[in-house]
Amino acid sequence: KYGPTGAVLWQHTFAGGAGGQDYGAAVKADASGNCFVAAAVTGVGTDFDIAVLKYSANGTLLWSSTWNGPNNLADAPSCVSLDASGNIFVAGGTFATEANPNYALVKMNASGTVIWSASYDYAGFADVATGIEFDLANNPVITGGSATSINAWDYATVKYNIDQAVNS
């Protein structure tokens, strides 16, 4: 974290459970100055998993939570956001097969417990979510790239109804 003059206020590193390659992908601060970092961490026997780390305003790690996609393959975040109720949403990609990533959306409560997750696959080719926002009803809306064939990409925007979301 940097101050107004560019001086480092605090810094931390985080190592996933397998001691492999890990990287941060996105960060979001709340009104209290807490920082939520979305990261890809190497899991034990699970390839990359999506992790969320919550740091206090002074840099203390308050909790970390990890999500491994349903196929036990690579999962990686691209963005993180907070809804009006303080829930954490992470969007990115989760591999359905070794060659087919799909949109991933993971909802966690304010304590980092995964509430639900969902995936989106348009045509059986690569799909990767890159952005997330919320509509007026607090429903998450994600967008990103979506392949319609091996060499043709479009964008896709998906809106979820939080009252009807289920694990997938």
Side-chain angles (χ1 to χ4, degrees), residues 44-66:
V44 178
T46 62
D47 209 335
F48 280 117
D49 295 327
I50 292 175
V52 175
L53 316 170
K54 180 180 181 181
Y55 291 96
S56 69
N58 68 2
T60 301
L61 178 63
L62 300 175
W63 54 256
S64 64
S65 182
T66 310

Side-chain angles (χ1 to χ4, degrees), residues 41-51 65-76 93-95 104 106 108 114 117 168:
V41 297
T42 303
V44 178
T46 62
D47 209 335
F48 280 117
D49 295 327
I50 292 175
S65 182
T66 310
W67 178 80
N68 178 28
N71 297 309
N72 208 34
L73 298 169
D75 310 300
T94 182
F95 275 80
V106 181
M108 297 178 178
V114 174
S117 62
S168 63

Side-chain angles (χ1 to χ4, degrees), residues 7 60 113 125 134 168:
T60 301
T113 302
F125 297 100
F134 298 92
S168 63

